[in-house]
């Protein structure tokens, strides 16, 4: 039997985290000739994750430029991906999520008539501006995929509502839980100078729709929270996007109980989540991981494509208004009963076997067994 060539594409930090378990699992299959293609839409943050999971890309497009625009990034990706796909002629291509890399991969597969498998398919808010541009990226990827690997029942239903054939949708769980469980087993110190006697609020923020005033409001709320709670410290690994970084350091860089640092490697970040009392974040991945670690998350967004944890009452949407962030965080700091309701461990996004299910679907489809 001929081996089937599968190209697994990774562009940004979260794609690498969520594709790593799929790549590692597919590499065990004798029928699969697995190639890893890094677009390097992110450079340093992608490399951090690839190193942790011991993945060396076979091809690297190295497309990242400082403060890149969506258009220049997309144009570069399409041109470069086309060259690789024509040279490699894969039997299938896989990509995860809703970044510009994923949208460009799906489109380039379509133009080259290559079957595309979408990992983490079917997430939707229904609003193309929230999150921007991710909602439209995943709509495009969803219409072009041959295999849709949906993390939850709700995601599968979103796809059916958009006219996707149910036979092409596979409910697998989210591979982020595979990654989280494998990394949680490892030892590793949280190498940041936080005070063990204080309650830790962990913060991440990077969404484009929050740039400008919303992000400034978030920073003001963080300052207010440390000022009014002497027993609280904030740890904030700052995303390298200049629209985030410059403002964060300008507004928060001067407070002894707010620790700004470079993006943490995945293992120390998981340890930081475990150590945190409370998490404030606009990240997609963090909304999935924190409930599995029994940590409450206040989501700094108006909408989420991940409603399951909100329905369980362990994640709450607070938006980006100063008053709302402060009052919700303060309630969690002051009310132990309310806190414990939000700190119950649930894992609506997966059981750690998503990569196994994805592998079995591809095995059946590509090798016929
Ligand atoms: C991107 C994704 C977003 C995803 C996020 C994960 C798009 C449009 N956005 O947002 O969906 O949630 O990644 O973090 O696909 N930079 C570095 N080093 C890095 C990474 C980024 O310096 O390792 C800086 C560069 O100046 C780069 C800028 O950040 O131009 C923006 O990177 P980009 O990938 O375009 O957007 P993100 O905001 O990172
Ligand atoms: N993460 C990390 N280091 C950090 C911040 C986040 O490893 O300093 C991890 C986090 O655990 C999650 C992923 O990065 O798995 C989320 O990435 P990000 O927030 O950049 O993107 P999103 O999930 O919003 O697309």
């Amino acid at each position: 039997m001929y081996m089937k060539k599968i190209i697994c594409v990774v562009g940004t930090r979260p794609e690498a985290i969520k594709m790593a378990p799929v790549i590692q699992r597919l590499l065990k299959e004798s029928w699969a000739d697995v190639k890893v293609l890094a677009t390097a839409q992110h450079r340093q943050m992608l490399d951090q994750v690839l190193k942790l999971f011991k993945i060396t890309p076979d091809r690297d497009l190295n497309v990242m430029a400082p403060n890149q625009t969506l258009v220049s990034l997309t144009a570069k990706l399409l041109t470069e991906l086309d060259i690789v796909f024509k040279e490699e002629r894969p039997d299938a291509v896989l990509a995860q999520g809703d970044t510009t890399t994923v949208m460009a991969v799906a489109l380039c597969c379509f133009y080259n008539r290559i079957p595309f498998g979408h990992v983490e398919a079917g997430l939707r808010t229904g609003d193309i501006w929230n999150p921007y541009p991710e909602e439209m990226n995943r709509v495009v990827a969803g219409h072009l995929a041959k295999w849709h690997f949906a993390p939850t029942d709700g995601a599968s239903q979103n796809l059916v509502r958009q006219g996707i054939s149910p036979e092409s949708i596979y409910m697998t769980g989210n591979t982020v839980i595979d990654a989280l469980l494998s990394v949680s087993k490892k030892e590793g110190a949280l190498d940041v100078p936080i005070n063990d006697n204080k309650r830790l609020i962990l913060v991440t923020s990077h969404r484009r729709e929050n740039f400008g005033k919303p992000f400034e409001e978030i920073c003001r709320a963080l300052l207010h929270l440390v000022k009014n709670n002497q027993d609280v410290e904030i740890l904030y690994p700052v995303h390298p996007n200049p629209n985030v970084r410059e403002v964060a350091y300008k507004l928060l860089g001067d407070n002894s109980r707010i620790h700004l640092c470079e993006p943490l490697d995945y293992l120390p970040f998981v340890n930081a989540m475990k150590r945190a009392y409370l998490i404030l974040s606009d990240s997609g991945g963090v909304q999935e991981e924190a409930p599995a670690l029994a940590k409450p998350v206040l989501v700094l967004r108006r909408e989420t494509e991940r409603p399951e944890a909100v329905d369980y009452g362990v994640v709450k949407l607070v938006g980006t208004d100063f008053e709302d962030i402060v009052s919700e965080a303060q309630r969690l700091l002051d009310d132990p009963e309310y806190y414990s309701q939000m700190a119950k461990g649930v894992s609506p996004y997966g059981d750690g076997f998503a990569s196994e299910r994805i592998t079995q679907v591809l095995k059946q489809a590509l090798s016929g067994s």
Side-chain angles (χ1 to χ4, degrees):
M1 184 183 69
Y2 291 113
M3 289 175 86
K4 300 291 178 180
K5 187 185 281 188
I6 304 177
I7 296 188
C8 296
V9 187
V10 289
T12 66
R13 166 173 68 192
E15 292 162 65
I17 291 170
K18 291 173 171 180
M19 281 300 285
V22 180
I23 293 166
Q24 288 174 335
R25 179 60 191 84
L26 279 171
L27 281 169
K28 294 185 185 154
E29 293 294 305
S30 58
W31 56 270
D33 173 17
V34 182
K35 301 273 183 234
V36 177
L37 167 60
T39 65
Q41 174 178 334
H42 283 173
R43 185 70 277 172
Q44 303 88 334
M45 292 208 294
L46 180 72
D47 294 343
Q48 283 181 319
V49 180
L50 294 176
K51 194 169 156 217
L52 172 70
F53 288 99
K54 299 190 172 61
I55 293 171
T56 309
D58 298 280
R59 314 267 310 228
D60 193 324
L61 305 182
N62 199 25
V63 298
M64 195 191 89
N67 213 1
Q68 57 210 2
T69 67
L70 296 176
V71 170
S72 68
L73 175 62
T74 306
K76 232 190 285 183
L77 284 167
L78 283 172
T79 308
E80 299 285 328
L81 288 166
D82 191 44
I83 295 169
V84 176
F85 289 170
K86 287 196 162 63
E87 280 174 14
E88 297 278 349
R89 307 225 58 81
D91 296 288
V93 172
L94 301 181
Q96 180 282 330
D98 51 22
T99 64
T100 296
T101 286
V102 178
M103 187 272 295
V105 167
L107 190 56
C108 201
C109 283
F110 173 65
Y111 287 157
N112 285 284
R113 298 175 191 275
I114 298 166
F116 168 63
H118 190 202
V119 178
E120 197 184 83
L123 273 61
R124 297 288 185 274
T125 61
D127 174 357
I128 61 167
W129 302 107
N130 280 296
Y132 166 83
E134 290 83 1
E135 177 76 359
M136 186 49 75
N137 285 346
R138 54 200 177 209
V139 168
V140 172
H143 281 291
L144 298 174
K146 179 179 169 76
W147 304 285
H148 305 261
F149 301 113
T152 62
D153 191 41
S156 308
Q157 287 171 27
N158 289 339
L159 290 166
V160 173
R161 267 196 295 277
Q162 299 213 316
I164 306 294
S165 153
E167 292 81 60
S168 64
I169 304 169
Y170 304 89
M171 227 275 270
T172 58
N174 198 311
T175 57
V176 77
I177 303 298
D178 304 20
L180 180 69
L181 294 181
S182 76
V183 165
S184 301
K185 289 183 204 141
K186 296 182 204 247
E187 295 289 319
L190 172 56
D191 196 15
V192 277
I194 49 171
N195 182 337
D196 282 339
N197 300 319
K198 308 263 185 210
R199 289 190 288 179
L200 182 68
I201 299 181
L202 178 65
V203 177
T204 80
S205 180
H206 69 83
R207 299 246 81 89
R208 271 179 162 72
E209 66 274 15
N210 284 350
F211 290 174
K213 184 155 180 301
F215 185 57
E216 287 169 21
E217 290 261 311
I218 293 171
C219 292
R220 281 205 309 122
L222 298 178
L223 280 170
H224 186 88
L225 284 167
V226 282
K227 195 167 146 238
N228 281 10
N229 298 277
Q230 293 302 316
D231 67 331
V232 162
E233 283 198 345
I234 289 178
L235 173 61
Y236 177 6
V238 183
H239 194 286
N241 192 318
N243 299 286
V244 173
R245 195 180 170 86
E246 282 160 21
V247 184
Y249 276 90
K250 188 168 143 222
L251 298 184
L252 305 174
D254 220 5
N255 190 298
S256 62
R257 279 187 290 118
I258 300 182
H259 304 283
L260 303 182
C261 65
E262 294 300 314
L264 293 173
D265 284 358
Y266 188 48
L267 176 55
F269 187 77
V270 169
N271 286 332
M273 284 193 285
K274 287 182 182 163
R275 165 72 178 76
Y277 181 79
L278 160 66
I279 301 174
L280 267 58
S281 177
D282 61 14
S283 162
V286 172
Q287 288 177 62
E288 294 156 345
E289 293 161 336
L293 300 170
K295 299 297 172 175
V297 184
L298 297 179
V299 179
L300 305 165
R301 292 170 52 181
R302 283 188 287 125
E303 299 185 56
T304 183
E305 58 289 302
R306 294 165 169 90
E308 293 83 357
V310 178
D311 293 344
Y312 273 103
V314 297
V315 165
K316 190 160 186 184
L317 282 177
V318 294
T320 55
D321 287 349
F322 172 86
E323 302 287 348
D324 296 335
I325 299 169
V326 168
S327 66
E328 289 295 337
Q330 198 62 52
R331 188 173 171 201
L332 281 163
L333 290 167
D334 290 345
D335 182 343
E337 204 174 311
Y338 179 60
Y339 179 85
S340 62
Q341 282 163 22
M342 273 193 82
K344 58 176 188 267
V346 293
S347 189
Y349 300 107
D351 59 2
F353 292 97
S355 313
E356 177 63 35
R357 296 188 187 99
I358 292 168
T359 302
Q360 294 311 324
V361 171
L362 293 172
K363 186 174 181 182
Q364 172 73 37
L366 293 171
S367 83
S369 60

